[in-house]
Structure formats: structure tokens, C-alpha cells
RNA sequence: GGGUGCUUAGCUCAGCUGGUAGAGCAACGCCCUUACAAGGCGUGGGUCGGGGGUUCGAUCCCCUCAGCACCCA
């Protein structure tokens, strides 16, 4: 391998990506221009817990595409970036780190020191995240980067809390919450996941108080909570238990008796139709307890151990240990009727995976129904628009059934609740203690203590679109950029985040937070599984950019697992999926891949193989640019100006161009064609991006670059530039078009592939007469309508079809691509003749023809391979390379295909219903097609006959 | 239990307001043609999950069944 040359020839992303990002950032190109219509996207702030994953890479790439596009379109564009403190997640990470490194718990350290530790971690981790974002090419305005616990953000959080409190929309209540007995905090409904697990249904006998020989049987999935039972409930209409309602039963293992009550909540068909009521430990029971004015008995400590409210025998036992002992004791007393297998939904904390305990505590809540109403209307009215549209159903469903939001968390990391209590427990709110005193006119000697808890992380996230812009101050940024334009996020956080932003924003700014919400799919692995550390199937976007060896990848995936036993399995599947590790693809290829998978579907199986194709695409573009530079020269032709209108001629003959003035240019057919195709591409690109079809946007540009510009236009430019058959004017026109279209392509593609386009543009722009420091701030291509040229497109299609026809014959006959062939033409209409005389040279070059000769219309062609393009007949006479059998077989295949279609068409057109009822144009189209096929078949069949009569030609004397 | 998606070529996916299907990758054949072998030029491959309905005509609209996935309770 000739390394020196290939390095020069090949596209090498790394250096260029690093170089250009630094240049952009240093030059301040990411900041809003201050001119034009405002356009703003708030970055969904990644958690400072760690590093960016594929989902981030995906979403942020799409945002960057939008941002770069709108910036180039001249809008005053702001990508507002930052990170989220992510209360529980971050606290857990740092706690674990502390435990590993110093064997200390956060309690050993104390609140203040522990929070300091987290801040240290935040600096490190936040830095990591912004490094990764930079590698991705994200054009975030770093000057304006925010963190949800910045002073400004915190001020906004307290402001919102105070206002809601003062309006009675925030209240403190003692009620059941989802309690995480491992993390020792309440969590919201949304943070609980319910998964079906194998469990048991215990049937327990509760003896009647007045007659211990009789008993009532209760079915339960949680026998240990019986120690907190306050009643047995039956359905009021359940005939089996009518007589027992109002009686007392003896609660086994305790010395308490409890009543039998009637409540419609009970499902008579489930279990025995009798339900134990444990208001302190079950959400439904709590409601029943309230209805019947029963006092809940809490039997658990915060860590879910049995507390002093239970009989001494069980105190101090962990809940599942207690369950075993209780069941054993009941069995000993012969109070277990039976034990059935039973599937049940087990609630687990989404962070800790601990089984969640419904637990009676004091917590702060936001009244949600009032806030939800305007938020529902905003989407109904279309002030906020979901894309794809059907996500609004999901949104409505949640919003219409919204429950109050538990916002307090028993954590140390987060926004401390701005509430102070006096010694009687009365609460006062304020920005700080002094403010709380002032607001409530409290004397200096009133002792106040602040609430120990912090707010749910999503409370501050809900303010993100406006708090980052300086709210509650009336900053210029807020006035300019709010409401923001678009939010790009995954459907997994519609409830957590999107809905709450809409609610809070309407409440506090009176405006929606954003107009469009583009909901992305979720990135999954190639098997369709969710990517997660514990499954060991995560991919780091940076590893796709830089590449990673198999061993490093295995090490990375198996490091620090919660379940080390998984390591072996993970290693095995990793080695199988990536036997060679992952090669380096560069950022641009990764970004293009992300765009190309961004359709409206909700699950995206990420296939690393696609990256290779798009890296190749980079290489293609790179080499196309090399070709252009080789042919255009290194200095600007003074006649070239961007989007210059250059005289066009209707044909490419040398004669017609001699009329031009010296120094002027003339556009050839390929020039006019590619300029026209460029316009259509630009049009389509705008159209697709307007509806957030990043996949079609990317595909449109890809197709144009590869299949039209490279495959056809560059090839067609070769004969013009390299032979003397063409005038200088025309060569100049071709050079102009080469460089102009390339310059347009680069701008078109820049939002997706910012690095390679900038790198090439820097060299191309001067040759195209374009001035500017960076492609980033160049105008995005707009359609120039009068360059759309239907005639040129039709004419070039004609040329292509002739070339393709010859190539197909050549390929099907296994004739080497380089072998020059003689071609005979027959019949054809005036247009065929005119086009042919104009483009003979191009045709000859691209189809590799030795000669082109016309036969008279009535002349019998020699034995030959044949193709028909409209009325034109193409013959490639038999030679050593073309043999009768192959051509016979080929013709047969062709006839077979057309015959089948003909039959179908005939039946269709023979159907009176179709002819009568279908639109005339559809019928006419089918008729034309029928005629076309029939004509072709006649020709093919006659060719077949001719072939059968022909003798095998003698091999040419010289090969 | 309620809801939302998905099922199209070997794989991953497009398919606009209904007019009998496309791309990329993979496969196969021929080529190292002076931008690119990370390439060029061609080729093969699909009863569009099953059934029913509406329609002249259904991958597309409606119903139903099956499988898969997710969300809410």
C-alpha cells in the first residue's frame, strides 16, 4: 500500500474536526448575531452524573442541525446550553464514590462537606460533558452555559416556590408517598416503575372476636403489613359476608381486634372477597381508611424495618425477614389457609431499584389540576405543537388525569426548600431567612429553622426555558428569545419535563415555553434492547468518533458493574458483535448517521454498520472536492460570482459558442442540468427540515451529491474539460458550475456535517468568488426558481438512458468496462437525432464507445445485442464478447417481464368499471404504458427472430 | 383493565392527498478507467403479518385476528 499517496487522497477527520471547532469557538461564532428573527432552542440539560450517551448524541445532533440551519438562514440564533444537577442520581454517584474511596458514608462527612464533594464532582463531570458536546460539534453558546443550581436558577426556583405557596398551590401534607427505603426519600409517582414479578398470595384466617372457632379468610400479597391492619373490608353487596359486617375479628399475632367493614372498593371476585385494610401501607387502603375514619397504624421505620407499633416479637426485623417470620408463626397457629402463586406488579424506585414502600410522611406538594388546565388548552389550540402529532394524545392522557406532584425530597443535593419553621411548626417562605422574616414581619428573636429537604430536580428543570434566559428579571435575552422556538427531546420525559415546563411557563410568564416539541425516538442497540450500563450494551458516541479496540470496549462495558456476574456474558456478546472493535468514523459520519435514522418512529435500532457508509460518503465528498480543485485551478476566475447568471445555450456544439464574447462563459447541458437539480434538492431539503424529517433531509442531500453530482455531473464534466472539442467558454462554464455547485453543496450539507464542509469550503469558497470567514455564517442555499430547467432535465435524462442502456448490455454480457464498443443506431425521432448530434462526445466517453453510426430506417441490423430507448434502437454488433446465447437469454428475460406487465394492463383496461370510473388521466396513463409495452415487445420479438436466423459470428481476428 | 405504536427485500428502514413498491448495507458478476477500491458499472431478491370490508383499484382508509414493543392504572 502506498501510504504517502493514500493519506493525501483520503479523508481524515480527526485533525480537521479539532481544528475547526476550536476556531469557531474562539471566533465567537456560536453567539447570537443580534440580527434577524430570534430562534432559540433550550438544550435539554444533561445530568452531571456522568457522560453523554447515544441518546444525548442523537438528540443534540438534531438540535445542532436545526441551530446551524437557522443561523445560516440569518436568524438571531441561540442554543442555550447547560447541565442539570440531577438530585438523586448525582447524590448516589458521589455517595458510592465516597464509599469506594474512603469507606465513608455521607453521614460520616456531614451535609455541608458532602455537598462540597458533590460540587467538586460536578466541576469534573460537567467539564467532561461539555468536552463531549464540543466533540459532537454542538454550536452551543458556551458563554451562556447554565447549571440548574446556579445562583440565577436558584433564585428563579425560590421565586416560583414562594409564589405558588402564597397562592395556595403549594402545600404541605401528611399522606402516603412512594418511599424509597434505601435512598430514604420520597419520590414522585413518575419515578416509580411497576414491573410484574412472581409473588405469592397468602390466604390468612382471621378468627372472629366473638367466636374463635369461626374465621374470615383474607387474601394478601403482603402478609407482613397485617401488623398494621385496622379493618377487614368486604363488598357491601357480597352475600357471603352480609352477616359479618360490623363484627370484630381478632388480628392474629397481636392483641388487637379490628372491625369488618363494607366498601365498594373490594372486588368480590378477587381472592376470597375479603381484604385486609392497612391504610399506612397501601394507597387504596389509605383511601378506604379515610372513608371509614380509621386511624392508620404505621409499622415501619424509614428503612422498612418493623417499628415499635408492632408486637415486640417482630420489632427491628427487615420487612422481608418479618414476612417470613410472620408466615411461619401463622402456620404454627394454623392460620394459613393456603398459599397460591401470584403475579403482581412490584413498585421499584427508578434510581435505586429498591421496592418502594407506601409510607406516611409530611411532604410538600404542588396542586397540579389548576396548572394543568391552561397547559392542556395550549396544546389543544396548537400554541404548542407536538411533532409527530400523535404525542399530544399521550400528553392529554397524562394531563387529564394528573395527580398532585410531590416535590420534596429527603436529600442533601438540590435546591433547599425555602421554608422556615418557627418553634410551633408554623411555616414561612422567603428567598432566604431574612426575607422570610421580612415578609412575615417576624421579630428577630423568633427562632427559625429551615426545612431540611430539597426540591425534586424536575422542579427546577420545569423552569429551564425561561430561568436560563434570566427570568424573573426582564432581561434582553428573555425578551428576545422567549418563548423559545423548538424543544427536541425523547418521549420518555414528556411527563417529567415537557408537561411541567408548559405548566410552569404558562403560570409564570403567561406564554408557552416553546412552539414546537419534536419528539425523537429512543436509541436502542442492534437487537432492539434499551442501552444500559447493566446490560453492557452501551455505546459511547465518542468511541464511534475515535474508534475503540475490542479489549478496551470490553473493559469499558464490564467496569464497575452492579452485578459483576454479568461481566462474562457481556464480554461474550461484545466480542461477537464487534470482533474487530469499532473503527474510527469521525464526528461528521456519526452526525449524518443520527440524522439518517431520525424519522418519526419511536424506537431506533442503532446499527454501527451504517456509520461506515456515511464515512465513505465523507470520503466521496472529499474526493469530489479534490477533483474540482484539480480542474478549477488555484485562483479565482474573475468571472465567477456566487449565483451568477451565466448565459445558457441550448446545445453544446462548438459552433454555437463561438458567438460569445471572449472571457464569457457558456453553460453546457450538464451544467444547466446540475444547476436545475441543485434547485430541486434545495427545495426538498427545506421542505423536509420544516417538518423535522431529518432522515429525508439527509437522504435528499446524499442522493444529490452522490448520485447526481458525483456519478453524473463530474463524469460529464470530464470530456468537456479534457478535450479540445469544446470551446473555452464552455470549459469556463463547466469550471464555474463545478465550483458553484460544490460550494452550494457544502452549505446545504453544513448543518449535518459541519467539519468536513467547513474544511473544504475554506478552499473552495475563494475559487467560487465567495468571501467570508466561515461557512457557519454563510447564507443557507435558497431556491433560485429560474434555474429550474425542465428541458435540460429531460434532455439529460435522455442522455443517461442511452448510456445506461449500453452499460447494461455491456454488464450483462460480461464485457470488461474498459472495452470500447461500436454502436449502431436506427430509427429514432428528430429529438433523438438532435440530442445525439449535440451529445455524441459525452455519450461516447461515458458509454465507452468506439464509434456511433446510424443505420437507415429500413436497413437490417447485423446480429447484435439490442436496447430500445423510446423510438430509438441501439445495436451493439456481435463480436467475440457478445454471443448469441447470452443475448437470447437476455431478450427472453426482458420479454417475459414485459409480457407479464402487459397481461395485467390488458385486464385492467378491459375492465369497463375501471375505464368508466377512474380519472381520465389515470386511464390515459395506463393506455400509454400499454402502447409503449406493445411497441417494445414487437421490437424485442422481431429482434429475437433475427437472432435465431443469424449465424454465430466468427471471432474477431484480433481480440 | 385503559392507551399508543410497530409488523414492507437476508438486515436496518423510507413509501407524500389510495393508481400493483424504493434506499442503504449485505449478496452476486465484471473492472485497480488519471477525484474517490472508504471506488466504478451492472444484476438478482418482496403474495407489503393473517383474514375481511370500502373502492374501478388498497402497502396506504375501516374492521378483525395474531405477534412484538412501550406508556398509564
Amino acid at each position: 500500500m502506498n501510504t504517502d499517496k493514500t493519506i493525501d487522497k483520503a479523508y481524515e477527520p480527526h485533525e480537521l474536526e479539532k481544528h475547526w471547532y476550536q476556531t469557531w469557538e474562539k471566533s465567537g461564532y456560536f453567539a447570537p448575531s443580534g440580527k434577524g428573527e430570534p430562534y432559540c432552542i433550550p438544550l435539554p440539560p444533561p445530568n452531571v452524573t456522568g457522560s453523554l450517551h447515544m441518546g444525548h448524541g442523537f438528540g443534540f445532533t438534531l438540535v445542532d442541525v436545526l441551530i446551524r440551519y437557522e443561523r445560516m438562514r440569518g436568524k438571531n440564533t441561540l442554543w442555550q446550553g447547560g447541565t442539570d444537577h440531577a438530585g438523586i442520581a448525582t447524590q448516589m454517584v458521589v455517595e458510592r464514590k465516597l464509599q469506594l474511596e474512603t469507606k465513608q458514608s455521607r453521614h460520616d462527612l456531614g451535609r455541608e462537606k458532602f455537598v462540597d464533594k458533590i460540587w467538586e464532582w460536578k466541576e469534573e463531570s460537567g467539564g467532561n460533558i461539555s468536552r463531549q458536546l464540543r466533540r459532537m460539534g454542538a454550536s452551543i453558546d458556551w458563554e451562556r452555559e447554565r447549571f440548574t443550581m446556579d445562583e440565577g436558577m436558584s433564585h428563579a426556583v425560590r421565586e416560583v416556590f414562594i409564589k405558588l405557596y402564597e397562592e395556595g398551590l403549594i402545600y404541605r401534607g401528611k399522606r402516603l408517598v412512594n418511599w424509597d427505603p434505601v435512598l430514604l426519600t420520597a419520590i414522585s409517582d413518575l419515578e416509580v416503575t411497576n414491573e410484574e414479578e412472581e409473588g405469592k398470595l397468602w390466604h390468612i384466617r382471621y378468627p372472629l372476636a366473638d367466636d374463635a372457632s369461626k374465621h374470615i379468610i383474607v387474601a394478601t400479597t403482603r402478609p407482613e403489613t397485617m401488623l398494621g391492619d385496622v379493618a377487614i373490608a368486604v363488598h357491601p353487596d357480597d352475600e357471603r359476608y352480609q352477616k359479618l359486617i360490623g363484627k370484630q375479628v381478632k388480628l392474629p399475632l397481636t392483641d388487637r381486634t379490628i372491625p369488618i367493614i363494607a366498601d365498594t372498593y373490594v372486588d368480590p371476585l378477587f381472592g376470597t372477597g375479603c381484604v385486609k385494610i392497612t391504610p399506612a401501607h397501601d394507597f387504596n387502603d389509605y383511601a378506604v381508611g379515610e372513608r371509614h375514619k380509621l386511624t392508620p397504624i404505621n409499622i415501619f421505620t424509614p428503612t422498612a424495618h418493623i417499628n415499635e407499633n408492632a408486637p415486640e416479637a417482630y420489632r427491628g426485623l427487615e420487612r422481608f425477614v418479618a414476612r417470613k417470620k410472620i408466615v411461619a408463626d401463622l402456620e404454627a397457629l394454623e392460620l394459613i389457609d393456603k398459599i397460591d402463586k401470584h403475579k403482581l406488579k412490584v413498585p421499584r424506585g427508578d434510581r435505586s431499584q429498591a421496592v418502594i414502600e407506601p409510607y406516611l410522611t409530611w411532604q410538600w406538594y404542588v396542586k397540579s389540576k389548576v396548572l394543568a388546565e391552561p397547559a392542556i388548552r395550549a396544546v389543544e389550540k396548537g400554541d404548542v405543537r407536538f411533532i409527530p402529532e400523535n404525542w399530544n394524545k399521550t400528553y392529554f392522557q397524562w394531563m387529564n388525569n394528573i395527580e398532585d406532584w410531590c416535590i420534596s425530597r429527603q436529600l442533601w443535593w438540590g435546591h433547599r426548600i425555602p421554608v422556615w419553621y418557627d418553634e410551633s411548626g408554623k411555616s414561612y417562605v422567603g428567598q432566604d431567612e431574612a426575607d422570610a422574616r421580612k415578609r412575615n414581619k417576624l421579630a428577630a428573636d423568633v427562632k427559625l429553622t429551615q426545612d431540611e429537604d430539597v426540591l425534586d430536580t424536575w422542579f427546577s428543570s420545569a423552569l429551564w426555558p425561561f430561568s436560563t434566559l434570566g427570568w424573573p428579571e426582564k432581561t434582553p435575552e428573555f425578551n428576545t428569545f422567549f418563548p423559545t422556538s423548538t424543544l427536541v427531546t425523547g418521549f420518555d420525559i414528556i411527563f417529567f419535563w415537557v408537561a411541567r415546563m408548559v405548566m410552569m411557563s404558562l403560570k409564570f410568564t403567561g406564554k408557552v415555553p416553546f412552539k414546537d416539541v419534536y419528539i425523537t425516538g429512543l436509541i436502542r442497540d442492534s437487537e432492539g434492547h434499551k442501552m444500559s450500563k447493566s446490560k453492557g450494551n452501551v455505546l459511547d458516541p465518542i468511541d464511534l468518533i475515535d474508534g475503540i479496540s475490542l479489549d478496551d470496549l470490553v473493559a469499558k462495558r464490564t467496569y464497575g458493574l452492579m452485578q459483576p456476574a454479568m461481566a462474562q456474558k457481556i464480554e461474550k456478546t461484545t466480542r461477537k458483535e464487534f470482533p474487530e472493535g469499532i473503527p474510527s468514523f469521525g464526528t461528521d459520519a456519526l452526525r449524518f448517521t443520527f440524522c439518517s435514522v431520525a424519522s418519526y418512529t419511536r424506537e431506533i435500532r442503532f446499527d454501527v454498520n451504517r456509520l461506515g457508509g456515511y464515512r465513505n460518503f465523507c470520503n466521496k465528498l472529499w474526493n469530489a472536492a479534490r477533483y474540482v480543485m484539480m480542474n478549477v485551478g488555484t485562483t479565482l476566475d474573475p468571472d465567477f460570482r456566487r449565483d451568477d447568471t451565466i448565459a445558457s445555450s441550448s446545445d453544446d456544439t462548438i459552433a454555437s459558442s463561438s458567438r460569445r464574447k471572449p472571457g464569457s462563459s457558456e453553460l453546457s447541458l450538464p451544467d444547466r442540468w446540475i444547476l436545475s437539480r441543485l434547485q430541486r434538492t434545495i427545495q426538498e431539503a427545506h421542505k423536509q427540515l420544516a417538518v423535522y424529517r431529518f432522515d429525508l433531509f439527509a437522504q435528499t442531500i446524499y442522493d444529490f451529491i452522490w448520485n447526481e453530482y458525483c456519478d453524473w455531473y463530474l463524469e460529464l464534466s470530464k470530456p468537456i474539460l479534457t478535450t479540445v472539442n469544446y470551446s473555452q467558454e464552455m470549459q469556463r462554464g463547466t469550471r464555474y458550475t463545478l465550483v458553484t455547485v460544490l460550494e452550494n453543496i457544502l452549505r446545504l450539507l453544513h448543518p449535518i456535517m459541519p467539519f468536513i464542509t467547513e474544511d473544504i469550503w475554506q478552499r473552495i469558497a475563494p475559487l467560487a468568488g465567495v468571501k467570508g470567514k466561515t461557512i457557519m455564517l454563510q447564507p443557507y442555499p435558497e431556491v433560485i426558481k429560474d434555474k429550474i430547467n425542465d428541458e435540460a432535465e429531460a434532455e439529460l435524462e435522455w442522455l443517461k438512458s442511452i448510456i445506461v442502456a449500453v452499460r447494461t448490455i455491456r454488464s450483462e454480457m460480461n464485457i470488461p468496462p474498459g472495452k470500447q464498443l461500436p454502436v449502431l443506431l436506427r430509427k429514432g425521432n428528430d429529438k433523438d437525432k438532435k440530442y445525439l448530434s449535440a451529445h455524441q462526445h459525452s455519450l461516447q466517453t461515458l458509454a465507452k464507445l468506439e464509434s456511433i453510426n446510424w443505420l437507415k430506417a429500413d436497413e437490417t441490423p447485423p446480429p447484435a445485442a439490442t436496447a430500445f430507448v423510446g423510438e430509438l434502437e441501439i445495436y451493439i454488433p456481435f463480436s467475440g464478447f457478445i454471443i448469441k446465447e447470452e443475448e437470447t437469454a437476455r431478450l427472453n428475460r426482458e420479454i417475459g417481464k414485459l409480457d407479464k406487465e402487459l397481461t395485467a394492463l390488458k385486464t385492467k383496461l378491459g375492465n369497463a368499471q375501471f375505464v368508466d370510473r377512474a380519472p381520465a388521466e389515470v386511464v390515459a396513463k395506463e393506455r400509454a404504458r400499454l402502447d409503449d409495452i406493445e411497441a417494445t415487445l414487437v421490437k424485442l420479438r422481431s429482434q429475437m427472430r433475427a437472432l435465431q436466423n443469424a449465424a454465430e459470428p466468427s471471432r474477431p481476428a484480433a481480440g
Side-chain angles (χ1 to χ4, degrees):
Chain A
M1 228 197 169
N2 188 340
T3 43
D4 280 352
K5 273 186 186 163
T6 45
I7 289 167
D8 259 355
K9 273 159 72 171
Y11 152 74
E12 295 288 347
H14 292 98
E15 277 308 304
L16 109 217
E17 287 176 0
K18 196 173 145 200
H19 170 73
W20 287 115
Y21 197 89
Q22 285 173 357
T23 306
W24 294 332
E25 190 175 352
K26 246 191 333 227
S27 311
Y29 297 154
F30 301 154
S33 64
K35 286 179 294 205
E37 188 189 330
Y39 183 88
C40 177
I41 297 183
L43 172 86
N47 294 349
V48 286
T49 39
S51 55
L52 298 185
H53 57 240
M54 292 294 282
H56 291 124
F58 177 50
F60 298 168
T61 294
L62 303 184
V63 172
D64 198 48
V65 170
L66 292 172
I67 288 283
R68 286 179 183 272
Y69 170 76
E70 298 293 358
R71 189 187 285 123
M72 289 176 79
R73 294 220 298 169
K75 292 193 184 168
N76 184 18
T77 305
L78 170 64
W79 184 358
Q80 175 60 56
T83 45
D84 194 302
H85 67 281
I88 297 183
T90 310
Q91 177 163 324
M92 275 175 74
V93 167
V94 177
E95 248 180 311
R96 195 139 56 114
K97 200 165 164 257
L98 190 69
Q99 185 60 242
L100 278 170
E101 286 169 5
T102 67
K103 301 255 178 270
Q104 281 181 303
S105 77
R106 68 183 155 108
H107 301 282
D108 297 331
L109 223 60
R111 184 163 185 158
E112 208 170 312
K113 281 193 178 155
F114 180 70
V115 169
D116 287 346
K117 280 265 178 237
I118 305 185
W119 277 104
E120 280 171 31
W121 161 266
K122 182 260 162 187
E123 292 310 321
E124 186 188 324
S125 176
N128 188 30
I129 287 168
S130 56
R131 259 195 307 284
Q132 284 182 301
L133 276 162
R134 286 175 163 91
R135 291 298 310 278
M136 294 295 303
S139 58
I140 290 174
D141 184 4
W142 295 104
E143 300 290 312
R144 297 195 43 81
E145 194 182 1
R146 294 289 182 274
F147 177 57
T148 47
M149 276 173 58
D150 279 353
E151 184 40 42
M153 308 283 104
S154 304
H155 178 76
V157 164
R158 291 190 295 266
E159 186 72 17
V160 164
F161 188 99
I162 292 166
K163 286 238 173 79
L164 290 174
Y165 177 89
E166 284 173 348
E167 286 185 41
L169 291 173
I170 280 184
Y171 63 92
R172 192 168 186 243
K174 187 176 190 183
R175 51 165 82 175
L176 281 190
V177 291
N178 300 296
W179 183 262
D180 188 320
V182 172
L183 298 174
L184 300 180
T185 178
I187 55 178
S188 78
D189 299 341
L190 287 175
E191 291 160 281
V192 181
T193 59
N194 288 287
E195 265 173 68
E196 197 156 83
E197 295 180 21
E198 282 298 339
K200 285 175 183 162
L201 191 61
W202 286 270
H203 291 69
I204 306 172
R205 298 193 181 100
Y206 283 38
L208 296 184
D210 55 5
D211 182 358
S213 67
K214 290 184 183 155
H215 50 254
I216 190 162
I217 298 173
V218 167
T220 179
T221 57
R222 299 208 53 194
E224 68 280 10
T225 63
M226 68 173 291
L227 302 177
D229 286 356
V230 297
I232 301 292
V234 297
H235 194 278
D237 302 334
D238 194 332
E239 289 177 6
R240 292 172 292 177
Y241 305 113
Q242 283 299 321
K243 280 183 278 182
L244 297 176
I245 295 169
K247 289 198 171 190
Q248 295 277 320
V249 297
K250 192 171 174 336
L251 184 60
L253 311 180
T254 72
D255 50 12
R256 290 194 288 127
T257 61
I258 55 175
I260 297 171
I261 61 171
D263 195 286
T264 50
Y265 152 69
V266 181
D267 175 5
L269 300 176
F270 181 82
T272 58
C274 302
V275 183
K276 61 198 264 318
I277 299 298
T278 322
H281 301 292
D282 182 282
F283 287 99
N284 291 313
D285 293 6
Y286 185 81
V288 175
E290 294 241 286
R291 282 200 284 278
H292 295 268
K293 299 196 166 49
L294 299 164
T295 311
I297 299 173
N298 170 32
I299 59 152
F300 285 136
T301 66
T303 55
H305 289 64
I306 305 289
N307 71 10
E308 69 286 353
N309 294 331
E312 214 173 325
Y314 305 102
R315 287 180 199 165
L317 295 179
E318 195 276 334
R319 54 188 161 167
F320 298 115
V321 177
R323 174 182 293 179
K324 272 191 189 141
K325 181 163 166 57
I326 285 167
V327 170
D329 290 352
L330 289 170
E331 269 178 332
L333 294 168
E334 295 184 346
L335 291 176
I336 297 283
D337 181 59
K338 60 174 174 173
I339 304 172
D340 291 340
K341 274 193 181 165
H342 182 68
K343 275 190 184 150
L344 73 162
K345 295 272 190 171
V346 177
R348 290 182 181 274
D350 65 354
R351 292 290 168 189
S352 66
Q353 291 307 310
V355 175
I356 293 304
E357 202 60 62
Y359 196 60
L360 208 50
T361 53
W362 283 98
Q363 302 290 344
W364 288 95
Y365 295 87
V366 172
K367 275 191 191 165
S368 298
K369 285 212 158 47
V370 207
L371 295 172
E373 269 174 38
I376 291 167
R377 278 202 304 278
V379 174
E380 280 171 349
K381 280 192 294 180
D383 295 346
V384 173
R385 207 163 61 102
F386 280 94
I387 297 125
E389 201 179 8
N390 50 294
W391 286 110
N392 55 20
K393 285 186 189 162
T394 309
Y395 174 86
F396 288 138
Q397 204 193 335
W398 159 256
M399 290 295 258
N400 286 323
N401 299 297
I402 199 162
E403 299 281 342
D404 284 357
W405 172 17
C406 175
I407 51 169
S408 43
R409 296 289 181 277
Q410 288 64 52
L411 303 174
W412 290 353
W413 177 241
H415 298 101
R416 189 101 175 246
I417 291 179
V419 171
W420 284 261
Y421 304 99
D422 65 16
E423 280 167 313
S424 71
K426 194 161 184 284
S427 49
Y428 307 96
V429 299
Q431 277 287 343
D432 50 36
E433 189 178 326
D435 185 45
R437 284 182 191 280
K438 207 174 113 197
R439 283 169 190 264
N440 296 285
K441 301 189 180 69
L442 294 178
D445 61 346
V446 177
K447 208 182 148 204
L448 291 180
T449 46
Q450 189 175 2
D451 195 301
E452 291 292 318
D453 294 348
V454 301
L455 288 165
D456 180 6
T457 304
W458 296 103
F459 192 89
S460 57
S461 315
L463 319 179
W464 184 252
F466 48 99
S467 64
T468 50
L469 295 174
W471 185 93
E473 310 314 321
K474 287 272 174 208
T475 60
E477 290 84 358
F478 179 80
N479 291 332
T480 305
F481 293 110
F482 196 83
T484 67
S485 312
T486 300
L487 180 78
V488 176
T489 193
F491 60 79
D492 50 333
I493 53 176
I494 289 178
F495 308 143
F496 276 111
W497 196 42
V498 180
R500 287 166 177 170
M501 281 191 285
V502 178
M503 290 192 279
M504 288 300 199
S505 181
L506 285 168
K507 175 73 188 166
F508 288 96
T509 71
K511 294 174 182 169
V512 295
F514 28 70
K515 291 161 214 140
D516 285 1
V517 183
Y518 172 70
I519 300 290
T520 67
L522 250 41
I523 299 278
R524 305 186 161 251
D525 72 3
S526 56
E527 307 269 286
H529 299 122
K530 211 166 174 173
M531 286 191 185
S532 73
K533 173 77 188 154
S534 60
K535 282 188 198 135
N537 61 352
V538 288
L539 286 171
D540 182 339
I542 302 302
D543 291 339
L544 298 176
I545 294 171
D546 293 338
I548 185 169
S549 73
L550 178 58
D551 288 339
D552 287 351
L553 181 62
V554 167
K556 204 166 165 175
R557 283 183 163 188
T558 52
Y559 173 79
L561 286 172
M562 294 280 237
Q563 297 167 279
M566 289 291 289
Q568 221 175 352
K569 198 183 158 200
I570 290 170
E571 174 161 1
K572 207 177 141 194
T573 53
T574 302
R575 286 186 185 278
K576 197 179 162 199
E577 193 180 358
F578 303 105
E580 315 281 328
I582 298 174
S584 148
F585 295 109
T587 301
D588 284 328
L590 177 61
R591 289 173 59 114
F592 199 98
T593 308
F594 280 139
C595 288
S596 72
V597 298
S599 65
Y600 283 170
T601 54
R602 56 168 69 179
E603 275 170 27
I604 295 155
R605 292 181 179 221
F606 195 86
D607 183 359
V608 174
N609 292 321
R610 289 188 78 144
L611 279 153
Y614 298 127
R615 183 206 40 206
N616 295 355
F617 174 63
C618 292
N619 191 241
K620 189 77 181 172
L621 180 64
W622 184 262
N623 280 290
R626 284 182 60 229
Y627 171 81
V628 172
M629 286 187 281
M630 283 165 69
N631 284 287
V632 172
T634 51
T635 52
L636 171 67
D637 185 317
D639 276 5
F640 292 1
R641 283 196 312 279
R642 176 190 289 165
D643 298 332
D644 201 359
T645 313
I646 291 188
S648 314
S649 77
S650 54
D651 65 297
D652 298 350
T653 50
I654 299 146
S656 75
S657 59
S658 59
R659 286 180 263 123
R660 304 281 164 214
K661 283 175 284 180
S664 67
S665 315
E666 177 176 322
L667 295 184
S668 66
L669 169 67
D671 294 339
R672 284 173 280 127
W673 170 76
I674 196 72
L675 287 167
S676 179
R677 297 302 305 158
L678 173 66
Q679 304 314 314
R680 296 199 196 272
T681 304
I682 293 169
Q683 198 164 33
E684 184 69 9
H686 282 288
K687 188 181 136 197
Q688 297 301 351
L689 205 52
V691 292
Y692 301 93
R693 283 299 300 265
F694 297 90
D695 58 332
L696 300 178
F697 174 70
Q699 197 186 38
T700 298
I701 299 171
Y702 179 101
D703 281 345
F704 176 72
I705 294 176
W706 200 311
N707 301 330
E708 303 200 286
Y709 185 69
C710 291
D711 283 353
W712 287 101
Y713 182 69
L714 294 193
E715 293 309 316
L716 286 162
S717 76
K718 288 176 186 174
I720 297 178
L721 293 175
T722 57
T723 62
V724 291
N725 299 27
Y726 297 87
S727 69
Q728 286 197 357
E729 285 80 4
M730 191 164 282
Q731 292 183 336
R732 185 196 296 267
T734 295
R735 285 196 297 270
Y736 161 83
T737 309
L738 272 176
V739 74
T740 300
V741 174
L742 177 59
E743 199 271 336
N744 270 276
I745 281 173
L746 295 170
R747 284 185 282 131
L748 206 51
L749 185 59
H750 178 260
I752 306 179
M753 293 184 159
F755 296 109
I756 188 176
T757 50
E758 176 77 292
D759 200 73
I760 298 173
W761 188 85
Q762 292 291 336
R763 292 172 239 199
I764 286 294
L767 305 181
V770 175
K771 292 200 174 67
K773 286 190 177 145
T774 174
I775 191 174
M776 271 188 67
L777 303 177
Q778 291 295 307
Y780 200 75
E782 293 291 339
V783 180
I784 302 169
K785 283 245 168 64
D786 60 7
K787 290 205 175 180
I788 295 180
N789 188 332
D790 292 325
E791 296 76 34
E793 290 192 20
E795 194 171 342
L796 202 109
E797 274 314 310
W798 175 89
L799 183 58
K800 276 166 75 174
S801 63
I802 310 281
I803 295 169
V804 168
V806 174
R807 281 175 179 171
T808 305
I809 292 175
R810 183 194 290 278
S811 177
E812 292 190 343
M813 299 284 151
N814 280 344
I815 303 169
K819 168 77 184 168
Q820 301 267 324
L821 298 172
V823 155
L824 298 172
L825 301 174
R826 199 174 75 147
K827 295 189 176 166
N829 57 25
D830 292 348
K831 198 181 70 184
D832 291 328
K833 286 178 178 142
K834 188 182 131 202
Y835 286 173
L836 190 91
S837 71
H839 308 302
Q840 173 149 0
H841 187 242
S842 302
L843 177 59
Q844 223 163 326
T845 312
L846 268 70
K848 296 261 160 37
L849 301 180
E850 175 187 286
S851 59
I852 301 173
N853 288 300
W854 283 92
L855 294 174
K856 292 198 182 72
D858 55 357
E859 201 172 338
T860 312
T866 321
F868 305 111
V869 176
E871 293 172 38
L872 185 67
E873 301 174 2
I874 304 170
Y875 298 93
I876 302 178
F878 285 174
S879 69
F881 290 104
I882 299 186
I883 51 174
K884 189 171 156 182
E885 286 72 24
E886 281 180 4
E887 177 64 0
T888 312
R890 206 180 66 83
L891 284 175
N892 264 329
R893 280 200 302 274
E894 197 67 22
I895 291 170
K897 236 190 277 179
L898 287 176
D899 240 352
K900 219 170 129 189
E901 201 181 336
L902 184 73
T903 318
L905 272 172
K906 274 186 170 161
T907 349
K908 197 170 184 180
L909 285 163
N911 183 349
Q913 300 264 40
F914 171 70
V915 180
D916 292 347
R917 301 205 187 184
E921 61 196 68
V922 173
V923 179
K925 207 175 116 192
E926 299 288 19
R927 284 231 165 87
R929 176 79 188 134
L930 181 82
D931 293 347
D932 209 40
I933 290 174
E934 278 181 330
T936 310
L937 275 171
V938 168
K939 288 182 204 164
L940 284 171
R941 292 209 162 99
S942 98
Q943 177 60 19
M944 193 70 160
R945 276 191 301 278
L947 206 58
Q948 273 151 8
N949 298 330
E952 189 76 21
S954 56
R955 293 189 83 80

